[in-house]
Amino acid sequence: MNKQVYIIGSGFSSLSAACYLARDGYDVTVLEKNNTIGGRARQLCKDGYTFDMGPTWYWMPDVFDRFFADFGKTPSDYYQLTKLSPAYSIHFDDGKPVSIADNYEDIRTVFEGIEKDSGLALDRFMAEAKSNYDIAIKDLVYKPGESLMELVTLETVTKAGRFFKTIEKEVRSRFANEKLAKILEFPVLFLGAKPAQTPSFYSFMNYADFGLGTWYPKHGMYAVVQAIKTLATELGVQFETGATVEKIEVENGKVQGIIVNGQRRETTIILSGADYHHSETLLDKSYRMYSEKYWESRVFAPSALLFYVGFDKRLSDIDHHMLFFDADFEQHAKDIYDNPRWPESPLFYASFPSKTDSDCAPLGHEAAIFLIPLAPGLSDSAVLREEMFQKMLTRLEKNLKQPIENHVVFKESFCINDFVADYNSYKGNAYGMANTLTQTAFFRPKLRSRKVKNLFFTGQLTVPGPGVPPAIISGKLSAQLIQKYCKP
C-alpha cells in the first residue's frame, strides 16, 4: 500500500498525528489553509507585541512529557517552561480577589481562611480528583473510542456513580462558600460545558489545576506549536500553507484523492484535523457519517470574543492569568447554553503574558489577551464587539483600581465570524463539543469513518475532547488507527 498520508489542518492534533505517522514510516504532508501553521493556536505579532491567538494555558505537563518521550525527546529540548506563581487569580464582586498559589499547601491555607474546615474537605476532594486523574489521563483518554467496552475497567466500574453525578453537585455538597465553589467549578469550563452538565468524574481537572500547577512556555503556547513542527520536520513531514482543501475524492467507498487549490492529488489515506462538520462537507453527501440534524442536536462548547491589546505602560497589581467572576456566573452561563444571546454583564478572562515574558511587549509596555465566552452561532458585528470591550474595560479599571482605557495603543478582535472564516468552525465555536455524559469517549464523533475506507479524523470534536492536551492525545490515537486499519 502507498504510505502517503495527507493531513488537513495544522492544529495540535494534526501536528501530533504527523509526528507519529512519520516516525512509523509514512510519507506525511500537512495542508494548512492559512498562511501560518497552528490552527487555533496561531500567533499574532504587531508593533513589538506578541500574542497567542488561541490557547494560553499550559496544563497537564505530563501529557506533553509523554508525547515528546515517544520520540526520545523532552519539552526542554525545544522550549523553556516556567511554573507560574501565583497560578492565577480570581476577582469576585466583593472586591477581594483570591490568588491560587503554585503549591497545594498554600492553596489549602487560602481555603481555610475563607471557610472554616474547608481544608479537610479539600483534602478529600483532591484525593478523589487525583484518583480520577490517574485513571483518566494514564489510561482512559488514550482509548480511541471505538467501543463502549473501552470504558469498562475495574477502576471505572467502582467509579460509575461519578459519571452520573455532576461537578456542581459534588462541589456544593462539600463547600458552602460561593467563592470556593466557583474556584473548584472553574477548571471544568475547559471541557466546554456548565458544571451542572459535567460528570463529577471530570474533577480530575482540579488535580490538573491544584496538583500539577499552571505553567508558561517562554514565548507563549505558540512555542509548543513550533516545537512540534520542528520535531515533525526532523521526522520528514512536509508542510504546505495557503493550501485549501476543496474535496475528498472517494470511489467505491475508498479514498482515491484530494483536491487542493483546484488541483487533484492522488492518495489513499487522508486524516482531517479540520473542523469535523466541515471535513464531512468535503465528501459527497452519501459518504457523510453525521447529518445536519445530528450536529444541531449536539451541545457545543462556547465560542469566544477575543481581544489582543497593547498598552503603553506597565499595569500594576496584575497576574499572568486573571479571571473576572465579578458578575452573575449563572446568568452568563444561561446566555451561552440556555437562551443564547450576547451577555449583558459578561464574565471574562485576562492574560498578561508580558508579566512573565518581557519579550511579549516593548520595554515599559504591557500585552494583554482578553476572552469573553459566547454562545456559538450568534450574530457577530463590530458594534457588538466594541460594546463588550467597553463593558470589560470599565470592570477592569474598577477591579484593578487604575486608569486603563487611555493607555490602549491598539487592539484587534477575533470572534464568531473569524472562527468560521479562518477555521471553518461549526457555528463559530471555539472549543469544539462539550464533554457532557452523552458526549464522552465512545459517544463522540468517531476517529475513523465508517463509510469511507482510509478516511480518519482527529481534533477537539472527537476523542478525547477539547483542550490542548486532549488534542495531542487525539493525534496519537488517530495515527494508531491508521496503522491498524491501513494494511498493505
Side-chain angles (χ1 to χ4, degrees):
M1 170 178 282
N2 181 357
K3 296 190 78 172
Q4 166 73 53
V5 180
Y6 281 100
I7 298 180
I8 305 172
S10 65
F12 277 111
S13 58
S14 293
L15 293 173
S16 169
C19 290
Y20 285 106
L21 290 169
R23 181 197 66 181
D24 294 331
Y26 287 83
D27 181 5
V28 182
T29 300
V30 175
L31 304 168
E32 170 55 56
K33 71 181 284 286
N34 294 307
N35 293 324
T36 58
I37 69 159
R40 286 167 165 80
R42 292 184 296 162
Q43 186 182 66
L44 172 63
C45 298
K46 182 173 180 178
D47 299 339
Y49 297 88
T50 301
F51 308 91
D52 281 318
M53 293 185 68
T56 55
W57 293 76
Y58 192 103
W59 271 10
M60 302 183 185
D62 51 326
V63 173
F64 297 88
D65 292 345
R66 184 168 174 175
F67 168 78
F68 284 105
D70 284 342
F71 303 92
K73 305 285 187 178
T74 66
S76 61
D77 292 329
Y78 297 97
Y79 53 87
Q80 176 186 332
L81 279 176
T82 300
K83 192 174 188 183
L84 296 180
S85 180
Y88 56 92
S89 59
I90 304 179
H91 283 255
F92 296 93
D93 59 5
D94 63 359
K96 298 177 182 178
V98 176
S99 287
I100 301 302
D102 64 350
N103 65 88
Y104 179 71
E105 284 307 313
D106 285 350
I107 295 170
R108 189 183 190 280
T109 299
V110 168
F111 270 57
E112 277 286 351
I114 294 174
E115 180 180 328
K116 187 181 179 183
D117 297 329
S118 62
L120 183 58
L122 185 63
D123 290 341
R124 292 169 177 164
F125 179 78
M126 290 303 297
E128 185 71 27
K130 184 181 186 304
S131 173
N132 292 344
Y133 190 91
D134 289 341
I135 294 169
I137 305 303
K138 294 179 181 178
D139 186 22
L140 284 186
V141 297
Y142 286 90
K143 304 289 188 182
E146 291 203 291
S147 166
L148 184 59
M149 294 306 294
E150 292 172 2
L151 296 174
V152 182
T153 67
L154 178 61
E155 291 84 359
T156 57
V157 167
T158 62
K159 290 180 176 287
R162 299 296 177 188
F163 288 93
F164 296 96
K165 187 176 183 180
T166 69
I167 282 286
E168 182 180 76
K169 288 183 178 179
E170 183 73 27
V171 167
R172 291 175 184 274
S173 68
R174 298 171 185 253
F175 301 91
N177 184 272
E178 187 67 19
K179 277 188 176 182
L180 299 187
K182 288 289 187 289
I183 291 169
L184 291 172
E185 289 171 350
F186 150 67
V188 302
L189 298 179
F190 284 103
L191 302 172
K194 293 190 295 185
Q197 291 179 305
T198 304
S200 66
F201 179 76
Y202 284 107
S203 67
F204 67 73
M205 293 294 291
N206 294 100
Y207 178 73
D209 181 2
F210 291 178
L212 300 177
T214 302
W215 300 76
Y216 174 76
K218 187 170 177 59
H219 304 311
M221 289 297 289
Y222 196 68
V224 186
V225 171
Q226 291 175 311
I228 302 178
K229 184 195 176 185
T230 298
L231 173 61
T233 302
E234 292 169 352
L235 293 166
V237 176
Q238 299 295 312
F239 289 88
E240 297 181 23
T241 56
T244 300
V245 176
E246 297 158 355
K247 188 172 178 61
I248 297 172
E249 290 194 337
V250 179
E251 187 176 319
N252 298 322
K254 185 177 180 180
V255 167
Q256 293 296 318
I258 189 169
I259 307 297
V260 184
N261 293 342
Q263 296 186 332
R264 183 182 187 277
R265 305 188 192 187
E266 187 173 332
T267 185
T268 57
I269 307 172
I270 293 174
L271 169 63
S272 182
D275 177 272
Y276 205 121
H277 171 269
H278 170 73
S279 299
E280 288 215 309
T281 67
L282 302 175
L283 297 162
D284 290 338
K285 199 167 185 178
S286 61
Y287 289 121
R288 300 172 191 173
M289 287 195 296
Y290 302 102
S291 66
E292 291 297 322
K293 184 177 180 180
Y294 169 85
W295 293 112
E296 286 285 346
S297 70
R298 300 299 89 187
V299 176
F300 272 80
S303 185
L305 169 56
L306 289 144
F307 292 103
Y308 312 103
V309 183
F311 295 100
D312 64 6
K313 71 167 187 173
R314 299 306 299 265
L315 303 182
S316 58
D317 298 322
I318 59 171
D319 295 311
H320 189 113
H321 296 300
M322 304 182 76
L323 302 166
F324 292 87
F325 289 177
D326 55 321
D328 189 331
F329 190 104
E330 294 304 322
Q331 183 57 53
H332 193 165
K334 289 178 182 177
D335 291 342
I336 295 173
Y337 295 101
D338 303 331
N339 182 30
R341 64 172 187 167
W342 284 73
E344 287 294 325
S345 186
L347 282 70
F348 64 95
Y349 155 69
S351 173
F352 298 97
S354 47
K355 170 76 174 179
T356 305
D357 188 348
S358 61
D359 291 341
C360 290
L363 184 65
H365 291 213
E366 203 83 71
I369 303 160
F370 299 101
L371 182 153
I372 298 173
L374 296 174
L378 294 178
S379 175
D380 175 17
S381 71
V383 172
L384 288 167
R385 296 185 191 194
E386 185 60 27
E387 285 181 12
M388 288 295 105
F389 186 72
Q390 292 302 322
K391 288 181 179 180
M392 184 186 69
L393 273 192
T394 298
R395 298 239 305 279
L396 192 66
E397 289 185 330
K398 178 182 177 182
N399 279 284
L400 298 185
K401 299 179 175 61
Q402 59 189 291
I404 292 175
E405 183 174 6
N406 291 338
H407 294 279
V408 173
V409 177
F410 76 88
K411 73 173 185 292
E412 291 197 12
S413 64
F414 197 95
C415 197
I416 292 169
N417 291 347
D418 303 299
F419 280 103
V420 173
D422 286 9
Y423 310 130
N424 295 308
S425 170
Y426 181 74
K427 291 189 175 182
N429 79 84
Y431 305 109
M433 191 182 292
N435 267 347
T436 61
L437 176 60
T438 57
Q439 295 181 172
T440 292
F442 172 77
F443 300 106
R444 297 180 71 81
K446 302 304 178 188
L447 293 169
R448 179 171 67 97
S449 174
R450 299 294 195 264
K451 291 191 174 184
V452 180
K453 187 176 181 181
N454 295 353
L455 173 61
F456 301 83
F457 303 89
T458 190
Q460 61 185 7
L461 281 170
T462 186
V463 178
V468 176
I472 290 173
I473 294 168
S474 184
K476 180 177 185 176
L477 296 174
S478 297
Q480 289 174 338
L481 290 184
I482 289 174
Q483 295 167 50
K484 177 179 178 180
Y485 290 103
C486 296
K487 301 292 186 182

